[in-house]
Amino acid sequence: QVQLVESGGGLVQPGGSLRLSCARSGSIFSINSMGWYRQAPGKERELVAIIHSDGSTRSADSVKDRFTIERDNAKNMVYLQMSSLKPEDTAVYYCTVNGQRTFRGLPVDYWGKGTLVTVSS
């Protein structure tokens, strides 16, 4: 029902900037939070940043001074603005949504297929 499609990944030099986009389609009753995870080669998937329904945000210590998560509810979009990129930021970035299908229903997680970000000179 709900689909998430990431875009904006690519090759960027260290110190550069990049903005990732996530488009949501399909029906969902309510959204509790939206966020970004990433997975580097040989490592576990980790939380990058998350934005809750009240607008509050939280991000990993490694990116909190460089990355910003944004949302546009009217357009069903969530973004990750990345700056001062480092080689260790190289990973597949995944968009995720936590929400409810029905009123008072159990929360469920939705995932996109990911977009690759490569930081290299």
Side-chain angles (χ1 to χ4, degrees):
Q1 297 179 10
V2 174
Q3 289 186 321
L4 302 173
V5 180
E6 303 95 336
S7 62
L11 176 64
V12 63
Q13 295 183 356
S17 299
L18 207 62
R19 189 177 79 158
L20 304 183
S21 300
C22 175
R24 175 177 58 83
S25 63
S27 298
I28 187 169
F29 182 79
S30 64
I31 295 175
N32 299 319
S33 64
M34 304 181 70
W36 292 90
Y37 282 71
R38 68 183 182 186
Q39 187 168 23
K43 297 185 178 180
E44 296 183 354
R45 188 175 300 187
E46 64 175 352
L47 174 68
V48 177
I50 187 170
I51 182 167
H52 298 276
S53 60
D54 64 356
S56 62
T57 61
R58 180 172 62 87
S59 60
D61 290 340
S62 60
V63 307
K64 64 180 180 181
D65 294 326
R66 301 182 294 118
F67 293 7
T68 301
I69 187 169
E70 303 170 337
R71 69 179 181 183
D72 188 335
N73 292 335
K75 297 181 179 179
N76 298 327
M77 299 287 291
V78 62
Y79 308 94
L80 184 67
Q81 182 65 51
M82 305 182 294
S83 62
S84 301
L85 284 163
K86 305 174 181 179
E88 51 263 43
D89 294 320
T90 296
V92 176
Y93 285 72
Y94 299 90
C95 177
T96 183
V97 171
N98 178 270
Q100 297 164 231
R101 297 174 181 174
T102 62
F103 177 63
R104 300 188 66 180
L106 295 175
V108 295
D109 294 319
Y110 300 93
W111 294 88
K113 296 186 180 298
T115 184
L116 177 63
V117 173
T118 302
V119 184
S120 176
S121 60

